[in-house]
Amino acid sequence: EHDGSIREWVGVHTDVTEERHLVDALQDSEHRFRAMADNIAQLAWTADATGFISWYNRRWYEFTGTTFEQMQGWGWQAVHDPDHEGRVTDKFRRDIAAGVAWEDTFPLRSANGRYRWFLSRAFPIRNDDGQITMWFGTNTDVTEHLETERALRRSNGELEQFIFVAAHDLQEPLRNISISGDLAERKLIAGESCRPYLVRMRESALRMQR
């Protein structure tokens, strides 16, 4: 009306069934993803396109003894070994900026204060236009594997040292056998007794056997 009073109301109804189904499907997909990620052996996490971490799986919190409030964003730096944190952060930032899959190996501090080594990877998730919308990352405990490698390297080093020493120790009796053989041959040609040289050869052979 001219006096500003309301004469009637006009309403519309918009069908949002498809949008509602899409939202429900997305929520269901997210719930299933998180349920799966919470039950894998690895520590897992997701980050936005800039590398800002917005979610961790249950295994992460169980291992580190932290909370989301402590870890969100770049809070993960707090559980890194200070001797490696700078290097790891620099490489992570470079690979995120370049949009390439990230991989690194470094120690993480557990809830009991001890460090364990992890192989960590992050892969970009892209939309239909090829733009990165998020990152999905995992941390796999490789402590035992690395310790086995180190033990194997030590064992190989000890074996190489043993072979070197053994080869060196075998040279002397071999030389004795060779020299004694030559002298014994000369004695035989001259019709003289070669028994002392045969004894020496036998002793050298026994030494090699030992």
Side-chain angles (χ1 to χ4, degrees), residues 101-116:
W102 169 75
E103 181 176 312
D104 207 344
T105 303
F106 46 78
L108 289 176
R109 189 178 68 243
S110 66
N112 62 18
R114 297 176 181 174
Y115 285 92
R116 294 186 66 84

Side-chain angles (χ1 to χ4, degrees), residues 163-179 204 207-208:
I163 291 173
F164 173 80
V165 172
H168 180 268
D169 288 349
L170 285 172
Q171 293 302 312
E172 184 180 354
L174 281 172
R175 282 194 296 268
N176 285 337
I177 290 174
S178 178
I179 293 172
S204 295
R207 180 177 176 188
M208 289 176 63

Side-chain angles (χ1 to χ4, degrees), residues 106-199:
F106 46 78
L108 289 176
R109 189 178 68 243
S110 66
N112 62 18
R114 297 176 181 174
Y115 285 92
R116 294 186 66 84
W117 284 84
F118 285 84
L119 170 63
S120 299
R121 295 188 175 104
F123 303 94
I125 308 299
R126 302 177 185 272
N127 60 20
D128 293 338
D129 296 327
Q131 297 176 323
I132 295 175
T133 59
M134 63 180 293
W135 292 81
F136 176 70
T138 59
N139 303 75
T140 304
D141 192 329
V142 293
T143 305
E144 281 78 14
H145 176 71
L146 293 178
E147 289 175 350
T148 300
E149 281 190 345
R150 285 193 289 267
L152 183 59
R153 284 195 294 269
R154 286 195 302 269
S155 179
N156 285 341
E158 292 169 358
L159 180 59
E160 289 175 358
Q161 181 66 20
F162 169 77
I163 291 173
F164 173 80
V165 172
H168 180 268
D169 288 349
L170 285 172
Q171 293 302 312
E172 184 180 354
L174 281 172
R175 282 194 296 268
N176 285 337
I177 290 174
S178 178
I179 293 172
S180 297
D182 289 341
L183 294 174
E185 183 179 18
R186 293 175 189 175
K187 290 293 185 179
L188 285 172
I189 293 174
E192 300 177 6
S193 174
C194 62
R195 180 175 175 79
Y197 302 107
L198 295 176
V199 171

Side-chain angles (χ1 to χ4, degrees), residues 57-78:
N57 72 342
R58 184 177 61 203
R59 285 281 296 119
W60 175 276
Y61 298 117
E62 290 174 349
F63 176 78
T64 61
T66 60
T67 65
F68 175 70
E69 288 71 27
Q70 294 171 315
M71 293 290 102
Q72 66 177 321
W74 299 86
W76 51 265
Q77 294 168 314

